[in-house]
């Protein structure tokens, strides 16, 4: 019954709603505008075979994306199941709305200044992922 805390650190601290909204707006300004002046800052650094792990997440990957996974996860479960853990996140009904919102933020970010653009990196655009359809058959989906 209160707004999400985009500065959530796995400890629930309830503050007045108007203060929480103000803090969230400041955080989103940092993540979308002042801290994300180019594509790699917004979405993260490329990660290719042979690279060291975690070359650098983008501003929105960490907050609000990661924060919402933690905040929505169930701390009563052993591994914060559903949104709080990679292997179970997609079972949570809010997962798809959350990721739709992250896509919306990408669209908004692209319109904030003329230089904001989609990735043009061929390695990323030619990447393919395997998913399963409704009959448990593997389906390859390409980014491009």
């Amino acid at each position: 019954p209160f707004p999400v805390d985009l500065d959530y650190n796995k400890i629930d601290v309830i503050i007045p709603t108007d203060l929480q909204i103000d803090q969230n707006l400041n955080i989103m300004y940092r993540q979308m505008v002042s801290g994300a002046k180019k594509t790699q800052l917004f979405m993260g650094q490329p990660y290719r075979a042979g690279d060291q792990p975690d070359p650098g997440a983008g501003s929105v990957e960490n907050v609000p994306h990661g924060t919402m996974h933690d905040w929505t996860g169930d701390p009563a479960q052993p591994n914060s199941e559903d949104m709080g853990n990679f292997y179970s996140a997609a079972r949570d009904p809010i997962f798809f709305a959350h990721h739709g919102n992250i896509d919306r933020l990408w669209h908004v970010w692209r319109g904030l200044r003329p230089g904001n653009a989609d990735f043009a990196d061929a390695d990323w655009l030619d990447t393919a992922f395997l998913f399963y359809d409704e009959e448990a058959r593997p389906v390859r989906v390409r980014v491009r």
Side-chain angles (χ1 to χ4, degrees), residues 98-140:
H98 169 52
H99 279 256
N101 189 49
I102 297 300
D103 290 346
R104 182 189 70 81
L105 293 176
W106 172 251
H107 177 75
V108 168
W109 179 82
R110 286 176 31 219
L112 289 176
R113 60 173 69 88
N116 292 355
D118 285 329
F119 283 109
D121 185 295
D123 285 344
W124 167 247
L125 294 173
D126 295 333
T127 299
F129 297 91
L130 283 175
F131 295 94
Y132 291 94
D133 68 12
E134 64 278 358
E135 295 178 12
R137 295 178 301 216
V139 177
R140 185 175 306 274

Side-chain angles (χ1 to χ4, degrees), residues 81-94:
E81 265 86 0
D82 294 346
M83 281 284 284
N85 200 302
F86 182 75
Y87 76 86
S88 60
R91 291 190 313 217
D92 193 312
I94 201 161

